[in-house]
Amino acid sequence: MEHNDTYHYQVMRRAIETIDAAGDTQLTLAGLAAEMEMSPAHFQRLFSTWVGVSPKRYQQYLTLGHAKALLRDRHTTLDTAHEVGLSGSGRLHDLFVRWEAMSPGDYARDGADLTINWGWFDSHFGPALVMGTDRGICGLAFAAETGKASTMADMTARWPRAIFVENPDIVAGWASAALGMRGETQLHMLGAPFQLKVWEALLTIPSGHITTYSDIAQAIGSPKAVRAVGTAVGRNPVSWLIPCHRALRKSGGLGGYHWGLPVKRAMLAWESARCDAGDDLR
């Protein structure tokens, strides 16, 4: 990713806070640019580069009501979920993804005898921690809201018996493809069987669209397990590629997001704007 993507995210974060504080008041380009301490021209260029639409149009995607609009207009019910058990391939945007799952027995051993390489990379949504085994990416997390130290501690605690090695060169190719949504990458999913079912269902949601926790529960054949589905969504170790940010509450509320709600809102806004601009490439 370009080195200024983290800077762009920080501007987006401030813009979200500014728009929230304004309530129903529609901010002008000049007013919003002033809040960002930028010239209107600079602010316009930055936003157009980041998401492909003007700041004025982008505001509607960042409002608190956007989730309800998505639920009304872009709701995917997941009537039939894939049952390939995370063994196959698919396309996300311009990214071709191959994935496989660790066996339940290996997962139960908490990553024993497993070497996980990791590195930090810039992304559209702030600093991204990418982790990978010899078979593919097993972890993708965002630290803009939680901080790098907390994010690292969270991810390493998921597989406490694994050996973690800082070696960004090994995962750089996969990370570049994943964060740039171009080319091909591999996933090595480390989770319990129920979690794998939930993550597989998430993969069926198109970019720019959303589903609900109850829809996912229905799709995986456990309609009463909405709370457990929410927990599994929150434990998704490969954020963005396994799009847990596309799961909302049935009421239209954002629900939670493990790496911070501002990150989730920025992801939904970015995808919605690109989808409306005709760039829904999933």
Side-chain angles (χ1 to χ4, degrees), residues 12 22 39 64 71 73 75 79 102 119 155 178 185 187 221 230 237-238 255:
M12 287 304 312
S39 70
L64 291 174
L71 193 64
D73 301 331
H75 180 196
D79 293 327
M102 174 176 280
M155 294 299 289
T185 196
L187 302 185
V238 185

Side-chain angles (χ1 to χ4, degrees), residues 50-270:
W50 195 76
V51 79
V53 297
S54 70
K56 180 178 180 180
R57 185 177 179 189
Y58 195 64
Q59 278 191 70
Q60 64 185 296
Y61 299 115
L62 292 175
T63 61
L64 291 174
H66 179 51
K68 290 184 178 180
L70 282 173
L71 193 64
R72 182 187 67 238
D73 301 331
R74 297 237 174 92
H75 180 196
T76 297
T77 59
L78 304 180
D79 293 327
T80 56
H82 293 317
E83 296 181 356
V84 297
L86 282 181
S87 178
S89 59
R91 183 173 291 277
L92 295 167
H93 305 276
D94 268 352
L95 176 69
F96 186 73
V97 179
R98 297 182 184 276
W99 62 84
E100 64 176 285
M102 174 176 280
S103 70
D106 287 339
Y107 171 73
R109 294 190 298 120
D110 292 329
D113 302 323
L114 188 69
T115 297
I116 297 178
N117 297 287
W118 61 271
W120 286 100
F121 301 87
D122 285 338
S123 80
H124 287 301
F125 310 106
L129 174 61
V130 180
M131 293 180 162
T133 70
D134 59 349
R135 299 184 183 182
I137 292 175
C138 65
L140 176 54
F142 296 92
E145 301 298 320
T146 57
K148 286 188 174 182
S150 178
T151 299
M152 175 62 75
D154 184 308
M155 294 299 289
T156 55
R158 296 172 187 238
W159 312 294
R161 300 179 65 189
I163 300 170
F164 292 89
V165 180
E166 183 177 9
N167 198 333
D169 290 342
I170 289 182
V171 296
W174 292 333
S176 178
L179 297 172
M181 285 286 144
R182 296 290 187 274
E184 180 176 325
T185 196
Q186 296 173 221
L187 302 185
H188 188 197
M189 300 306 297
L190 313 180
F194 181 83
Q195 292 174 325
L196 294 174
K197 287 183 179 181
V198 171
W199 301 339
E200 172 69 11
L202 286 170
L203 278 168
T204 69
I205 310 166
S207 177
H209 294 68
I210 57 89
T211 194
T212 67
Y213 300 108
S214 58
D215 284 328
I216 295 172
Q218 186 71 39
I220 65 172
S222 303
K224 296 183 179 180
V226 176
R227 187 181 296 270
V229 164
T231 299
V233 170
R235 293 296 293 172
N236 166 30
V238 185
S239 297
W240 184 237
L241 294 183
I242 306 293
C244 50
H245 60 281
R246 297 177 193 159
L248 306 180
R249 291 174 178 163
K250 186 182 293 186
S251 64
L254 281 175
Y257 190 64
H258 198 78
W259 307 117
L261 282 180
V263 177
K264 181 173 185 174
R265 291 178 60 201
M267 287 177 172
L268 289 171
W270 189 85

